[in-house]
Amino acid sequence: AERLSPGLSEIADAFQVALGAPVACNIYCSWEGHRGFPAHFDTMDVFALQIEGRKTWRLYNGKFDNPIEQAGYQYLSFSREHHNRSKGQVVKEVLMTPGDILYVPRGQYHDALATDGASLHLSFGVTEATGQDVIRILLNSIVSDSLFRATLPHFDDIESHQRHLSKLADRLGKALRDTEASKVVRDYQ
């Protein structure tokens, strides 16, 4: 949705420039008394912009630690019962009217409910780079290093196995400290 109109593109681009991360926009329409989603957390920071109608947002004290789009670390990995226990108590209720914007940090449990009539809001999701992204980037550069292509010592040879893993760790550490790697990661961001 972030490219549906020049106005949406400008908002998404402003978020991307200010926050240095990709931004995607979703459009949510709901009606009085109907919750789009039960209490949940997102894997990205969310900026909700109320466009039409009124919506009550509830923020809970529960927070999932650094969620990502991977099994075991995202909302869909857990049962409704787990979420009901993990969300905790409501710590803040916010009534949003047209023009209001609300920031919901990544991992923060929340829900929203249209309070009267129809409600429309835009949700700008900001997905910042993580350490996993750094490893993915490095995978492309270490393929040229023979040590990373070498066969591991047999698992029964514990000392050789540990020495080899230590060499890999040292080489990986050197690659991470390299100024070129830092530039590549910054360019990715």
Side-chain angles (χ1 to χ4, degrees), residues 48-50 52-57 94-102 115 119 121:
L49 174 60
Q50 189 69 25
E52 186 66 40
R54 299 175 348 142
K55 188 171 282 187
T56 300
W57 288 71
V94 178
L95 176 62
M96 303 255 306
T97 59
D100 291 344
I101 191 163
L102 177 67
T115 54
S119 172
H121 82 270

Side-chain angles (χ1 to χ4, degrees), residues 4-185:
L4 284 177
S5 73
L8 285 176
S9 291
E10 287 177 18
I11 294 170
D13 291 346
F15 275 126
Q16 286 183 177
V17 168
L19 301 173
V23 173
C25 178
N26 292 321
I27 301 170
Y28 293 100
C29 184
S30 56
W31 286 262
E32 181 178 353
H34 294 278
R35 197 174 316 289
F37 298 102
H40 66 283
F41 62 83
D42 294 306
T43 58
M44 76 279 297
D45 291 327
V46 171
F47 292 86
L49 174 60
Q50 189 69 25
I51 300 298
E52 186 66 40
R54 299 175 348 142
K55 188 171 282 187
T56 300
W57 288 71
R58 293 188 300 187
L59 304 174
Y60 297 86
N61 64 353
K63 187 169 185 190
F64 190 90
D65 182 42
N66 294 323
I68 55 174
E69 287 294 329
Q70 185 172 326
Y73 300 93
Q74 62 186 350
Y75 172 76
L76 294 176
S77 297
F78 304 98
S79 69
R80 171 73 0 236
E81 293 77 25
H82 172 86
H83 292 302
N84 287 337
R85 286 190 310 274
S86 298
K87 70 181 179 182
Q89 299 299 312
V90 173
V91 291
K92 185 153 187 105
E93 265 192 18
V94 178
L95 176 62
M96 303 255 306
T97 59
D100 291 344
I101 191 163
L102 177 67
Y103 169 66
V104 182
R106 168 181 167 215
Q108 183 71 56
Y109 274 95
H110 64 281
D111 60 26
L113 181 67
T115 54
D116 53 3
S119 172
L120 180 70
H121 82 270
L122 303 176
S123 178
F124 291 92
V126 182
T127 305
E128 296 186 84
T130 68
Q132 284 191 323
D133 295 309
V134 172
I135 298 301
R136 275 192 284 279
I137 292 166
L138 281 180
L139 282 175
N140 294 328
S141 64
I142 62 174
V143 72
S144 62
D145 186 329
S146 178
L147 181 64
F148 287 97
R149 296 190 320 268
T151 303
L152 294 176
H154 194 273
F155 59 85
D156 282 342
D157 187 350
I158 296 170
E159 288 180 24
S160 294
H161 204 269
Q162 186 57 51
R163 272 195 310 275
H164 189 81
L165 291 180
S166 291
K167 286 180 189 176
L168 289 172
D170 291 343
R171 194 74 57 90
L172 193 56
K174 182 180 177 197
L176 284 167
R177 288 186 291 276
D178 184 71
T179 55
E180 183 59 30
S182 178
K183 181 188 178 319
V184 170
V185 171

